[in-house]
Amino acid sequence: MKCRNFIYVGEFASQITEQEHTAFYFHVQKSILASLEKRELLTHSQYVRCIEEIEKQYNKEKSSHKVT
């Protein structure tokens, strides 16, 4: 696979919160897993198991940042 570099040339990107970063990272992971399943590099059961694991991590992170 060819390595590529991307340069952001748009407006200044505002800072995101830790919760937004966690949510973004969670969705990136899910997208990657979906891509691997679509390309038949993961079975459906492997995909489901991985999703369960990252959801556990995401929910753990999400609950540790709640302000009560």
Side-chain angles (χ1 to χ4, degrees), residues 1-66:
M1 181 183 291
K2 185 176 180 179
C3 181
R4 297 182 181 177
N5 292 321
F6 297 94
I7 299 172
Y8 180 73
V9 293
E11 296 178 18
F12 177 75
S14 62
Q15 294 292 337
I16 62 171
T17 66
E18 192 170 342
Q19 292 85 1
E20 290 171 324
H21 177 268
T22 303
F24 174 77
Y25 188 63
F26 169 70
H27 290 290
V28 166
Q29 288 177 313
K30 283 179 68 173
S31 298
I32 291 168
L33 290 170
S35 174
L36 291 172
E37 183 189 23
K38 183 177 180 179
R39 293 173 30 201
E40 298 181 357
L41 297 172
L42 284 179
T43 65
H44 183 69
S45 61
Q46 289 172 320
Y47 168 79
V48 169
R49 179 71 175 124
C50 289
I51 293 294
E52 289 171 355
E53 287 300 314
I54 65 170
E55 283 177 344
K56 276 191 233 175
Q57 292 173 6
Y58 174 69
N59 289 331
K60 183 179 176 183
E61 285 282 324
K62 196 170 141 183
S63 66
S64 70
H65 295 297
K66 280 187 180 177

